[in-house]
Amino acid sequence: MLDRAIDLTVAHVSLRKQFGQPLSSFQGVQFQLTDAEVERSGADILAKYALWSLVTNPADEAINDALALRLAAIEAAEVVFRVCHQLHGAVGFCDETTLSWLSRYSQPLRRLPFGVSKTRDTLTARLGRRGLTGLFSS
């Protein structure tokens, strides 16, 4: 969903013109798209790590990594959809646009079985003060 939202937004800002130039030529728009892509790609890399962790680490560590992935994915979705809606303008909230549908149908995935706060609380309770095990942990 995040990939598609960014693709739709890049296409939109490339076509839409303001002051005789495509929106994509404005530095502020480029910065916002970069922020969205950094969030999306970070969640993607973390997903690969969580899958690797599932195969190689004990179940307890793999669950922690999966919770960290869920937290990162929810937070990334918030940033990506905020940026995409903002760059689409009012049309991004119309039911006639694919972005609106993607955003709406992502809501249950972001909130069920629990949202960002409960995910963060669960992960914090599981980790305590020791933190996540990473690739370079001793």
Side-chain angles (χ1 to χ4, degrees), residues 32-109:
Q32 287 181 295
L33 283 172
T34 301
D35 288 343
E37 177 56 23
V38 166
E39 290 290 331
R40 188 216 56 82
S41 63
D44 184 53
I45 295 298
L46 195 53
K48 291 173 184 170
Y49 176 79
L51 284 173
W52 172 83
S53 177
L54 187 64
V55 174
T56 59
N57 288 334
D60 225 25
E61 287 181 30
I63 290 170
N64 293 339
D65 291 334
L67 283 168
L69 169 61
R70 176 166 174 74
L71 182 60
I74 293 170
E75 290 173 344
E78 295 293 329
V79 170
V80 169
F81 282 114
R82 178 183 45 79
V83 166
C84 292
H85 279 296
Q86 185 175 16
L87 292 178
H88 269 80
V91 74
F93 293 100
C94 296
D95 284 342
E96 293 83 17
T97 63
T98 306
L99 179 63
S100 176
W101 285 80
L102 284 172
S103 181
R104 181 177 305 122
Y105 286 111
S106 75
Q107 291 296 327
L109 298 173

Side-chain angles (χ1 to χ4, degrees), residues 105-122:
Y105 286 111
S106 75
Q107 291 296 327
L109 298 173
R110 292 191 260 167
R111 296 178 183 189
L112 299 172
F114 40 81
V116 69
S117 296
K118 180 66 175 170
T119 302
R120 187 178 292 120
D121 290 346
T122 303

